[in-house]
């Protein structure tokens, strides 16, 4: 959406962030998924991107869930970059100065990689040796990447076998409403984002990971990253 520029608008502060990732299972089961992890496919995300535009950004005072009655901004840009759905828009800064201040304090440059910053503090304190730590971290990153690739390959093969057997995606009437928030806590700090989708089509509702083959975005929320189903989301104020 092309928004006209209004210099010094008192109630419009720009934001940007990462809403979620595609073709990667969520780290935690989101609300509405009945305990299942979910994976938003790239194809479903690309088809649903227009439904994100013009949708509201909301938050709860505790920053722990969606609250559709507390809309603090609007989304005007959404695109897929790599595996991230990046978005932008503006917050109602004069109406909700507290959330603007909270986002300003939670800078992604230091917060959206909390594990890295934590390790850096340990190294600085002499708890662990920097060279050994860096090597271990890189090895861990490689292992996680290998496991992720294997999981994606298994999911892909399962989908192929299902198509060959003649099975089709399951529909649940209008489909469940899924919010990428979780009842779990105790995770990385900082602020992240959560999506809300409806009209969901699920390839196999019996699978441990629900593959979302069709969705409609109906909004997003700002929340603490430890309450997000996806741990790599973030939000920041933009110039």
């Amino acid at each position: 959406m092309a928004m006209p520029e209004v210099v010094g608008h008192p109630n419009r502060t720009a934001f940007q962030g990462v809403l979620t990732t595609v073709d990667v299972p969520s780290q935690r089961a989101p609300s509405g998924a009945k305990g299942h992890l979910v994976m938003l496919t790239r194809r479903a995300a690309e088809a649903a991107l227009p439904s994100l535009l013009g949708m509201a950004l909301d938050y709860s005072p505790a920053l722990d869930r969606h609250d559709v009655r507390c809309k603090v901004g609007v989304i005007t840009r959404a695109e897929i970059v790599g595996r991230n759905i990046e978005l932008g828009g503006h917050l109602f800064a004069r109406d909700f100065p507290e959330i603007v201040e909270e986002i300003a304090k939670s800078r992604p440059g230091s917060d959206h990689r909390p594990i890295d910053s934590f390790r850096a503090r340990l190294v600085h304190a002499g708890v662990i040796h920097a060279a050994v730590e860096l090597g271990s971290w890189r090895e861990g990153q490689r292992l996680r990447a290998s496991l992720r690739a294997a999981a994606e390959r298994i999911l892909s093969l399962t989908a192929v076998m299902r198509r060959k057997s003649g099975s089709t995606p399951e529909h649940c009437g209008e489909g469940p409403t899924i919010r990428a928030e979780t009842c779990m806590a105790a995770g990385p700090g900082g602020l992240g984002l959560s999506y809300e989708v409806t009209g969901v089509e699920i390839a196999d509702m019996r699978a441990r990971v629900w593959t979302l083959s069709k969705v409609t975005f109906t909004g997003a929320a700002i929340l603490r990253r430890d309450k997000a189903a996806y741990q790599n989301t973030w939000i920041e104020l933009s110039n």
Side-chain angles (χ1 to χ4, degrees), residues 27-31 62-65 180-190 223-231:
Q27 286 87 2
R28 297 173 180 171
S31 169
L63 291 166
D64 61 347
R65 59 185 174 85
E181 63 188 16
T182 176
C183 62
M184 301 288 289
L223 75 177
R224 302 194 318 267
R225 201 175 292 115
D226 68 345
K227 298 294 293 184
Y230 295 85
Q231 297 291 288

PDB file of all heavy atoms in Angstrom, residues 27-31 62-65 180-190 223-231:
ATOM      1  N   GLN A  27       8.681 -23.267  16.418  1.00  0.00           N
ATOM      2  CA  GLN A  27       9.386 -23.882  17.543  1.00  0.00           C
ATOM      3  C   GLN A  27       8.428 -24.348  18.635  1.00  0.00           C
ATOM      4  O   GLN A  27       8.750 -25.237  19.408  1.00  0.00           O
ATOM      5  CB  GLN A  27      10.400 -22.902  18.144  1.00  0.00           C
ATOM      6  CG  GLN A  27      11.645 -22.691  17.301  1.00  0.00           C
ATOM      7  CD  GLN A  27      11.454 -21.597  16.266  1.00  0.00           C
ATOM      8  OE1 GLN A  27      10.392 -20.966  16.197  1.00  0.00           O
ATOM      9  NE2 GLN A  27      12.465 -21.363  15.452  1.00  0.00           N
ATOM     10  N   ARG A  28       7.244 -23.728  18.688  1.00  0.00           N
ATOM     11  CA  ARG A  28       6.243 -24.088  19.683  1.00  0.00           C
ATOM     12  C   ARG A  28       4.882 -24.172  19.015  1.00  0.00           C
ATOM     13  O   ARG A  28       4.665 -23.605  17.951  1.00  0.00           O
ATOM     14  CB  ARG A  28       6.211 -23.048  20.806  1.00  0.00           C
ATOM     15  CG  ARG A  28       7.506 -22.966  21.594  1.00  0.00           C
ATOM     16  CD  ARG A  28       7.463 -21.810  22.562  1.00  0.00           C
ATOM     17  NE  ARG A  28       8.688 -21.703  23.340  1.00  0.00           N
ATOM     18  CZ  ARG A  28       8.964 -20.681  24.130  1.00  0.00           C
ATOM     19  NH1 ARG A  28       8.113 -19.682  24.249  1.00  0.00           N
ATOM     20  NH2 ARG A  28      10.097 -20.660  24.810  1.00  0.00           N
ATOM     21  N   ALA A  29       3.973 -24.889  19.671  1.00  0.00           N
ATOM     22  CA  ALA A  29       2.625 -25.018  19.134  1.00  0.00           C
ATOM     23  C   ALA A  29       1.870 -23.707  19.323  1.00  0.00           C
ATOM     24  O   ALA A  29       1.770 -23.207  20.439  1.00  0.00           O
ATOM     25  CB  ALA A  29       1.893 -26.148  19.837  1.00  0.00           C
ATOM     26  N   PRO A  30       1.338 -23.131  18.257  1.00  0.00           N
ATOM     27  CA  PRO A  30       0.602 -21.871  18.387  1.00  0.00           C
ATOM     28  C   PRO A  30      -0.820 -22.092  18.883  1.00  0.00           C
ATOM     29  O   PRO A  30      -1.343 -23.213  18.845  1.00  0.00           O
ATOM     30  CB  PRO A  30       0.613 -21.324  16.962  1.00  0.00           C
ATOM     31  CG  PRO A  30       0.671 -22.533  16.096  1.00  0.00           C
ATOM     32  CD  PRO A  30       1.478 -23.551  16.849  1.00  0.00           C
ATOM     33  N   SER A  31      -1.431 -21.026  19.326  1.00  0.00           N
ATOM     34  CA  SER A  31      -2.822 -21.059  19.753  1.00  0.00           C
ATOM     35  C   SER A  31      -3.719 -21.474  18.597  1.00  0.00           C
ATOM     36  O   SER A  31      -3.578 -20.988  17.481  1.00  0.00           O
ATOM     37  CB  SER A  31      -3.227 -19.672  20.265  1.00  0.00           C
ATOM     38  OG  SER A  31      -4.616 -19.581  20.459  1.00  0.00           O
ATOM     39  N   ALA A  62       0.127  -6.876  28.756  1.00  0.00           N
ATOM     40  CA  ALA A  62       1.187  -7.753  29.260  1.00  0.00           C
ATOM     41  C   ALA A  62       2.099  -8.256  28.156  1.00  0.00           C
ATOM     42  O   ALA A  62       3.058  -8.985  28.421  1.00  0.00           O
ATOM     43  CB  ALA A  62       0.569  -8.940  30.001  1.00  0.00           C
ATOM     44  N   LEU A  63       1.793  -7.883  26.905  1.00  0.00           N
ATOM     45  CA  LEU A  63       2.605  -8.300  25.752  1.00  0.00           C
ATOM     46  C   LEU A  63       2.763  -9.816  25.683  1.00  0.00           C
ATOM     47  O   LEU A  63       3.831 -10.340  25.369  1.00  0.00           O
ATOM     48  CB  LEU A  63       3.985  -7.626  25.800  1.00  0.00           C
ATOM     49  CG  LEU A  63       3.989  -6.118  25.568  1.00  0.00           C
ATOM     50  CD1 LEU A  63       5.331  -5.512  25.968  1.00  0.00           C
ATOM     51  CD2 LEU A  63       3.683  -5.802  24.101  1.00  0.00           C
ATOM     52  N   ASP A  64       1.652 -10.519  25.958  1.00  0.00           N
ATOM     53  CA  ASP A  64       1.726 -11.978  25.993  1.00  0.00           C
ATOM     54  C   ASP A  64       0.735 -12.660  25.052  1.00  0.00           C
ATOM     55  O   ASP A  64       0.674 -13.888  25.014  1.00  0.00           O
ATOM     56  CB  ASP A  64       1.500 -12.480  27.419  1.00  0.00           C
ATOM     57  CG  ASP A  64       0.128 -12.093  27.971  1.00  0.00           C
ATOM     58  OD1 ASP A  64      -0.546 -11.241  27.345  1.00  0.00           O
ATOM     59  OD2 ASP A  64      -0.260 -12.626  29.025  1.00  0.00           O
ATOM     60  N   ARG A  65      -0.043 -11.882  24.277  1.00  0.00           N
ATOM     61  CA  ARG A  65      -1.069 -12.493  23.430  1.00  0.00           C
ATOM     62  C   ARG A  65      -1.636 -11.437  22.469  1.00  0.00           C
ATOM     63  O   ARG A  65      -1.280 -10.268  22.534  1.00  0.00           O
ATOM     64  CB  ARG A  65      -2.202 -13.045  24.299  1.00  0.00           C
ATOM     65  CG  ARG A  65      -2.872 -11.976  25.149  1.00  0.00           C
ATOM     66  CD  ARG A  65      -3.910 -12.547  26.105  1.00  0.00           C
ATOM     67  NE  ARG A  65      -4.411 -11.512  26.988  1.00  0.00           N
ATOM     68  CZ  ARG A  65      -5.397 -10.679  26.692  1.00  0.00           C
ATOM     69  NH1 ARG A  65      -5.986 -10.750  25.493  1.00  0.00           N
ATOM     70  NH2 ARG A  65      -5.807  -9.765  27.551  1.00  0.00           N
ATOM     71  N   ALA A 180      -0.013 -17.207  16.213  1.00  0.00           N
ATOM     72  CA  ALA A 180       1.347 -17.661  16.506  1.00  0.00           C
ATOM     73  C   ALA A 180       1.822 -17.167  17.867  1.00  0.00           C
ATOM     74  O   ALA A 180       2.933 -16.692  18.039  1.00  0.00           O
ATOM     75  CB  ALA A 180       2.305 -17.216  15.408  1.00  0.00           C
ATOM     76  N   GLU A 181       0.934 -17.302  18.850  1.00  0.00           N
ATOM     77  CA  GLU A 181       1.249 -17.053  20.249  1.00  0.00           C
ATOM     78  C   GLU A 181       1.222 -18.392  20.960  1.00  0.00           C
ATOM     79  O   GLU A 181       0.643 -19.351  20.449  1.00  0.00           O
ATOM     80  CB  GLU A 181       0.207 -16.118  20.881  1.00  0.00           C
ATOM     81  CG  GLU A 181      -1.194 -16.738  20.891  1.00  0.00           C
ATOM     82  CD  GLU A 181      -2.296 -15.791  21.331  1.00  0.00           C
ATOM     83  OE1 GLU A 181      -2.062 -14.577  21.354  1.00  0.00           O
ATOM     84  OE2 GLU A 181      -3.405 -16.289  21.627  1.00  0.00           O
ATOM     85  N   THR A 182       1.840 -18.491  22.101  1.00  0.00           N
ATOM     86  CA  THR A 182       1.880 -19.759  22.808  1.00  0.00           C
ATOM     87  C   THR A 182       1.689 -19.526  24.292  1.00  0.00           C
ATOM     88  O   THR A 182       1.987 -18.443  24.815  1.00  0.00           O
ATOM     89  CB  THR A 182       3.224 -20.488  22.558  1.00  0.00           C
ATOM     90  OG1 THR A 182       3.272 -21.685  23.334  1.00  0.00           O
ATOM     91  CG2 THR A 182       4.397 -19.608  22.927  1.00  0.00           C
ATOM     92  N   CYS A 183       1.177 -20.537  24.976  1.00  0.00           N
ATOM     93  CA  CYS A 183       1.009 -20.430  26.424  1.00  0.00           C
ATOM     94  C   CYS A 183       2.320 -20.674  27.145  1.00  0.00           C
ATOM     95  O   CYS A 183       2.440 -20.440  28.340  1.00  0.00           O
ATOM     96  CB  CYS A 183      -0.050 -21.424  26.913  1.00  0.00           C
ATOM     97  SG  CYS A 183       0.369 -23.153  26.609  1.00  0.00           S
ATOM     98  N   MET A 184       3.317 -21.175  26.416  1.00  0.00           N
ATOM     99  CA  MET A 184       4.633 -21.410  27.012  1.00  0.00           C
ATOM    100  C   MET A 184       5.315 -20.080  27.303  1.00  0.00           C
ATOM    101  O   MET A 184       4.966 -19.043  26.760  1.00  0.00           O
ATOM    102  CB  MET A 184       5.515 -22.224  26.059  1.00  0.00           C
ATOM    103  CG  MET A 184       4.935 -23.574  25.678  1.00  0.00           C
ATOM    104  SD  MET A 184       4.980 -24.751  27.032  1.00  0.00           S
ATOM    105  CE  MET A 184       6.743 -25.064  27.127  1.00  0.00           C
ATOM    106  N   ALA A 185       6.308 -20.137  28.168  1.00  0.00           N
ATOM    107  CA  ALA A 185       7.101 -18.944  28.470  1.00  0.00           C
ATOM    108  C   ALA A 185       8.531 -19.398  28.734  1.00  0.00           C
ATOM    109  O   ALA A 185       8.886 -20.531  28.465  1.00  0.00           O
ATOM    110  CB  ALA A 185       6.531 -18.191  29.658  1.00  0.00           C
ATOM    111  N   ALA A 186       9.338 -18.512  29.275  1.00  0.00           N
ATOM    112  CA  ALA A 186      10.731 -18.809  29.593  1.00  0.00           C
ATOM    113  C   ALA A 186      11.515 -19.085  28.319  1.00  0.00           C
ATOM    114  O   ALA A 186      11.834 -20.217  27.977  1.00  0.00           O
ATOM    115  CB  ALA A 186      10.846 -19.987  30.551  1.00  0.00           C
ATOM    116  N   GLY A 187      11.789 -18.050  27.572  1.00  0.00           N
ATOM    117  CA  GLY A 187      12.570 -18.147  26.351  1.00  0.00           C
ATOM    118  C   GLY A 187      13.373 -16.882  26.176  1.00  0.00           C
ATOM    119  O   GLY A 187      13.589 -16.136  27.127  1.00  0.00           O
ATOM    120  N   PRO A 188      13.814 -16.595  24.942  1.00  0.00           N
ATOM    121  CA  PRO A 188      14.600 -15.387  24.708  1.00  0.00           C
ATOM    122  C   PRO A 188      13.797 -14.131  24.976  1.00  0.00           C
ATOM    123  O   PRO A 188      12.581 -14.100  24.806  1.00  0.00           O
ATOM    124  CB  PRO A 188      14.989 -15.509  23.224  1.00  0.00           C
ATOM    125  CG  PRO A 188      13.973 -16.425  22.641  1.00  0.00           C
ATOM    126  CD  PRO A 188      13.618 -17.387  23.725  1.00  0.00           C
ATOM    127  N   GLY A 189      14.484 -13.078  25.411  1.00  0.00           N
ATOM    128  CA  GLY A 189      13.807 -11.829  25.727  1.00  0.00           C
ATOM    129  C   GLY A 189      13.585 -10.982  24.496  1.00  0.00           C
ATOM    130  O   GLY A 189      13.783 -11.403  23.369  1.00  0.00           O
ATOM    131  N   GLY A 190      13.155  -9.750  24.725  1.00  0.00           N
ATOM    132  CA  GLY A 190      12.895  -8.838  23.618  1.00  0.00           C
ATOM    133  C   GLY A 190      11.489  -8.996  23.081  1.00  0.00           C
ATOM    134  O   GLY A 190      10.697  -9.814  23.544  1.00  0.00           O
ATOM    135  N   LEU A 223       4.300  -8.950  20.737  1.00  0.00           N
ATOM    136  CA  LEU A 223       4.328  -9.657  22.002  1.00  0.00           C
ATOM    137  C   LEU A 223       5.759  -9.991  22.394  1.00  0.00           C
ATOM    138  O   LEU A 223       6.683  -9.847  21.593  1.00  0.00           O
ATOM    139  CB  LEU A 223       3.480 -10.926  21.950  1.00  0.00           C
ATOM    140  CG  LEU A 223       3.982 -12.169  21.206  1.00  0.00           C
ATOM    141  CD1 LEU A 223       2.993 -13.314  21.371  1.00  0.00           C
ATOM    142  CD2 LEU A 223       4.217 -11.901  19.749  1.00  0.00           C
ATOM    143  N   ARG A 224       5.937 -10.396  23.636  1.00  0.00           N
ATOM    144  CA  ARG A 224       7.258 -10.813  24.084  1.00  0.00           C
ATOM    145  C   ARG A 224       7.687 -12.046  23.294  1.00  0.00           C
ATOM    146  O   ARG A 224       6.870 -12.920  23.008  1.00  0.00           O
ATOM    147  CB  ARG A 224       7.253 -11.149  25.578  1.00  0.00           C
ATOM    148  CG  ARG A 224       6.816 -10.031  26.483  1.00  0.00           C
ATOM    149  CD  ARG A 224       7.184 -10.339  27.941  1.00  0.00           C
ATOM    150  NE  ARG A 224       6.920 -11.719  28.325  1.00  0.00           N
ATOM    151  CZ  ARG A 224       5.795 -12.143  28.892  1.00  0.00           C
ATOM    152  NH1 ARG A 224       4.796 -11.295  29.094  1.00  0.00           N
ATOM    153  NH2 ARG A 224       5.649 -13.409  29.227  1.00  0.00           N
ATOM    154  N   ARG A 225       8.966 -12.111  22.956  1.00  0.00           N
ATOM    155  CA  ARG A 225       9.429 -13.223  22.136  1.00  0.00           C
ATOM    156  C   ARG A 225       9.278 -14.566  22.845  1.00  0.00           C
ATOM    157  O   ARG A 225       9.139 -15.599  22.209  1.00  0.00           O
ATOM    158  CB  ARG A 225      10.878 -12.992  21.704  1.00  0.00           C
ATOM    159  CG  ARG A 225      11.256 -13.802  20.466  1.00  0.00           C
ATOM    160  CD  ARG A 225      12.644 -13.480  19.972  1.00  0.00           C
ATOM    161  NE  ARG A 225      12.713 -12.133  19.454  1.00  0.00           N
ATOM    162  CZ  ARG A 225      13.444 -11.172  20.014  1.00  0.00           C
ATOM    163  NH1 ARG A 225      14.136 -11.403  21.100  1.00  0.00           N
ATOM    164  NH2 ARG A 225      13.476  -9.972  19.490  1.00  0.00           N
ATOM    165  N   ASP A 226       9.287 -14.569  24.186  1.00  0.00           N
ATOM    166  CA  ASP A 226       9.125 -15.842  24.887  1.00  0.00           C
ATOM    167  C   ASP A 226       7.686 -16.347  24.836  1.00  0.00           C
ATOM    168  O   ASP A 226       7.411 -17.466  25.253  1.00  0.00           O
ATOM    169  CB  ASP A 226       9.612 -15.745  26.335  1.00  0.00           C
ATOM    170  CG  ASP A 226       8.733 -14.837  27.195  1.00  0.00           C
ATOM    171  OD1 ASP A 226       7.932 -14.077  26.628  1.00  0.00           O
ATOM    172  OD2 ASP A 226       8.853 -14.903  28.430  1.00  0.00           O
ATOM    173  N   LYS A 227       6.767 -15.538  24.304  1.00  0.00           N
ATOM    174  CA  LYS A 227       5.389 -15.971  24.129  1.00  0.00           C
ATOM    175  C   LYS A 227       5.057 -16.241  22.664  1.00  0.00           C
ATOM    176  O   LYS A 227       3.902 -16.486  22.320  1.00  0.00           O
ATOM    177  CB  LYS A 227       4.431 -14.905  24.673  1.00  0.00           C
ATOM    178  CG  LYS A 227       4.583 -14.636  26.154  1.00  0.00           C
ATOM    179  CD  LYS A 227       4.192 -15.841  26.992  1.00  0.00           C
ATOM    180  CE  LYS A 227       2.704 -16.131  26.892  1.00  0.00           C
ATOM    181  NZ  LYS A 227       2.289 -17.242  27.791  1.00  0.00           N
ATOM    182  N   ALA A 228       6.058 -16.194  21.799  1.00  0.00           N
ATOM    183  CA  ALA A 228       5.843 -16.381  20.367  1.00  0.00           C
ATOM    184  C   ALA A 228       6.097 -17.832  19.965  1.00  0.00           C
ATOM    185  O   ALA A 228       7.002 -18.482  20.484  1.00  0.00           O
ATOM    186  CB  ALA A 228       6.763 -15.457  19.565  1.00  0.00           C
ATOM    187  N   ALA A 229       5.294 -18.322  19.045  1.00  0.00           N
ATOM    188  CA  ALA A 229       5.496 -19.677  18.536  1.00  0.00           C
ATOM    189  C   ALA A 229       6.741 -19.760  17.654  1.00  0.00           C
ATOM    190  O   ALA A 229       7.347 -20.825  17.515  1.00  0.00           O
ATOM    191  CB  ALA A 229       4.271 -20.135  17.753  1.00  0.00           C
ATOM    192  N   TYR A 230       7.112 -18.632  17.048  1.00  0.00           N
ATOM    193  CA  TYR A 230       8.347 -18.543  16.252  1.00  0.00           C
ATOM    194  C   TYR A 230       9.321 -17.652  17.016  1.00  0.00           C
ATOM    195  O   TYR A 230       9.000 -16.513  17.359  1.00  0.00           O
ATOM    196  CB  TYR A 230       8.067 -17.932  14.877  1.00  0.00           C
ATOM    197  CG  TYR A 230       7.173 -18.761  13.992  1.00  0.00           C
ATOM    198  CD1 TYR A 230       5.789 -18.668  14.094  1.00  0.00           C
ATOM    199  CD2 TYR A 230       7.699 -19.637  13.042  1.00  0.00           C
ATOM    200  CE1 TYR A 230       4.953 -19.417  13.279  1.00  0.00           C
ATOM    201  CE2 TYR A 230       6.866 -20.385  12.218  1.00  0.00           C
ATOM    202  CZ  TYR A 230       5.503 -20.273  12.343  1.00  0.00           C
ATOM    203  OH  TYR A 230       4.681 -21.014  11.532  1.00  0.00           O
ATOM    204  N   GLN A 231      10.520 -18.137  17.257  1.00  0.00           N
ATOM    205  CA  GLN A 231      11.462 -17.443  18.119  1.00  0.00           C
ATOM    206  C   GLN A 231      12.333 -16.418  17.394  1.00  0.00           C
ATOM    207  O   GLN A 231      13.075 -15.679  18.039  1.00  0.00           O
ATOM    208  CB  GLN A 231      12.365 -18.465  18.819  1.00  0.00           C
ATOM    209  CG  GLN A 231      11.601 -19.410  19.743  1.00  0.00           C
ATOM    210  CD  GLN A 231      11.050 -18.694  20.959  1.00  0.00           C
ATOM    211  OE1 GLN A 231      11.793 -18.323  21.857  1.00  0.00           O
ATOM    212  NE2 GLN A 231       9.747 -18.475  20.984  1.00  0.00           N
TER     213      GLN A 231
END
